[in-house]
Amino acid sequence: MRDDECSTSEEDFDMSFCIGDDELGKSVDSLEPNVVLELLSLANRFCCEEMKTACDAYLASLVYDMNRAMLLIEYGLDETAHLLVTACLQVLMRELPSSVHSPNVTRL
């Protein structure tokens, strides 16, 4: 693996980074969500699709209610995190018709 690559393991949300000959491994789900959001942004900036996918899937798993959906959908849209946006939209759809009357939803 080259020193500018990153990869994920076969297990959910795990990723490894190589810096020179040293490999650093960390499970995304052991990190704070705000750190994972930053990693998602870095993955987009440096075209690391495997890291982006791991972050996207983990963040999508955190969406369980309207508040979380409204908080995370803008990040998902900004970072083109398809799983995250889909999870947020599913919550909004489940909350219909009440979600239509929310000022945050109409702002989107």
Side-chain angles (χ1 to χ4, degrees), residues 66 91-103 105-106:
M66 184 74 112
V91 168
L92 295 177
M93 297 296 282
R94 271 196 306 258
E95 298 292 325
L96 282 174
S98 63
S99 64
V100 175
H101 300 295
S102 168
V105 173
T106 56

Side-chain angles (χ1 to χ4, degrees), residues 48-77:
C48 186
E49 287 302 317
E50 290 181 17
M51 184 166 64
K52 179 181 176 181
T53 300
C55 293
D56 188 12
Y58 173 68
L59 291 168
S61 73
L62 298 179
V63 180
Y64 56 85
D65 66 6
M66 184 74 112
N67 290 334
R68 284 277 174 120
M70 294 310 303
L71 177 68
L72 292 172
I73 195 165
E74 289 189 42
Y75 288 108
L77 291 169

Side-chain angles (χ1 to χ4, degrees), residues 4 7 11 22 27 31 33 41 48 51 59-60 84 87 92 104 108:
D4 60 346
S7 67
E11 297 185 30
D22 300 324
S27 178
L31 301 172
S41 179
C48 186
M51 184 166 64
L59 291 168
L84 178 56
L92 295 177
N104 292 331
L108 282 174

